[in-house]
Amino acid sequence: MRTYTKEIKAILDNVEKVIIGKEEVITEALAALLAGGHVLLEDVPGVGKTMLVRAFSRSIGLTFKRVQFTPDLLPSDLTGVSMYNQKTSQFEYRPGPLMGNIVLADEINRTSPKTQSALLEGMAESNVTVDGEIHTLPSPFFVMATQNPIEHEGTYPLPEAQLDRFLIKVKMGYPDFHQEMKLLTRFEREEPIDTLEAVLTREDLLRMKQEVKEVHVSQAVKKYVVSLVQATRTHPLLYLGASPRASIALMKVAQAWAYMEGRNYVLPDDVKHLLVPVLSHRLILTADARYHGQTAERILEQVKKEVPVPINQDVDAL
């Protein structure tokens, strides 16, 4: 049982009023938010992906926008448009749904690459360009995108370069028998999401994000991060390993994870625990590995066993 700071526990407890039995998924998504990244939720319909995003926005008192991605969605449907105002004889910017704190991009693989790129530009640059003018996105800006791994007909799979823009990838999974029974009881007479109240303010979140950056990462832990990432580049079952961006992502999420547990330093165990959600979507398996049923998750578990964990942790923040 992990021990979290008071503020983190308040958020987790609030979200778990709606999302039952998914503490690991919730904490990993929250770590991505604190680290300033974005989350890719990959799972079948009906397991609570949308509800998770809504619960986050209500718990922190942030604005929530939802976009259902479809084949006919245009980039301007996300970024907004310039409209001519006859009274002022000027063009005025009408913001799109990206102008929100938490944005749910539902079924991102069902829209065209052009529209996907508009979203990913906002994720990477924290601004959008409309008719040559740059509009800064609100702070914080956090995207949780979903994609269905089952139905691929009529979809536009994200290329590896775009998948790399997501800080982590998580899977909700089905609840077990007892969790699903509890879910039915909780939803029997009301929608729990409607009763959620904010336990944190926008200012609190911005402060916490700044404090995450102050979490110490020792040289030993940095070497461990690089060793893990470089091991994927030489693995015989991988056609393409993780990029240097993955090393940075792994370190930043580990900082957030340590902060959530009330520490001002990162441990190798933090890095080890987060390896799969941070790297699994950044790898390309060889054709032979796919043929034999290998997965990125299974390969990363093997990498964790092969790369030695630092003994001298060199944590000078203690």
Side-chain angles (χ1 to χ4, degrees), residues 93-111:
Y93 173 60
R94 303 288 176 86
L98 284 192
M99 286 293 174
N101 294 126
I102 295 185
V103 178
L104 171 62
D106 217 353
E107 296 189 295
I108 188 176
N109 55 334
R110 292 207 176 276
T111 197

Side-chain angles (χ1 to χ4, degrees), residues 3 5 208 210-218 221 251 254-267 270 313-318:
T3 302
T5 64
M208 292 166 68
Q210 190 60 41
E211 290 172 350
V212 164
K213 297 177 182 178
E214 304 301 321
V215 174
H216 176 71
V217 186
S218 68
V221 172
M251 179 186 70
Q255 284 178 292
W257 194 267
Y259 175 82
M260 289 165 62
E261 294 191 345
R263 285 183 276 110
N264 63 350
Y265 57 90
V266 176
L267 293 174
D270 300 329
Q313 295 175 2
D314 186 29
V315 182
D316 51 34
L318 282 172

Side-chain angles (χ1 to χ4, degrees), residues 79-80 121 127-135:
T79 61
E121 177 194 354
N127 57 54
V128 294
T129 304
V130 179
D131 292 338
E133 290 190 12
I134 296 176
H135 301 275

Side-chain angles (χ1 to χ4, degrees), residues 181-206:
M181 285 291 292
K182 189 175 181 180
L183 189 69
L184 294 182
T185 301
R186 190 165 294 181
F187 279 80
E188 186 176 2
R189 292 185 175 85
E190 63 179 6
E191 288 284 337
I193 190 70
D194 296 333
T195 63
L196 283 191
E197 295 182 358
V199 295
L200 216 65
T201 65
R202 171 182 173 274
E203 290 69 28
D204 290 331
L205 179 63
L206 293 175

Side-chain angles (χ1 to χ4, degrees), residues 48-69:
K49 300 187 295 292
T50 303
M51 196 67 72
L52 173 63
V53 186
R54 290 179 62 195
F56 264 121
S57 64
R58 281 180 174 263
S59 297
I60 310 175
L62 301 175
T63 58
F64 168 70
K65 304 288 185 179
R66 180 182 182 274
V67 184
Q68 180 64 51
F69 279 61

Side-chain angles (χ1 to χ4, degrees), residues 95-167:
L98 284 192
M99 286 293 174
N101 294 126
I102 295 185
V103 178
L104 171 62
D106 217 353
E107 296 189 295
I108 188 176
N109 55 334
R110 292 207 176 276
T111 197
S112 68
K114 189 174 184 179
T115 305
Q116 291 174 357
S117 296
L119 171 67
L120 293 163
E121 177 194 354
M123 290 166 51
E125 308 296 336
S126 296
N127 57 54
V128 294
T129 304
V130 179
D131 292 338
E133 290 190 12
I134 296 176
H135 301 275
T136 303
L137 296 175
S139 180
F141 175 68
F142 180 55
V143 173
M144 294 185 81
T146 73
Q147 65 177 5
N148 183 350
I150 304 299
E151 298 175 4
H152 293 294
E153 294 81 4
T155 63
Y156 304 86
L158 290 172
E160 284 68 27
Q162 293 182 346
L163 283 171
D164 201 34
R165 294 291 180 181
F166 288 96
L167 194 61

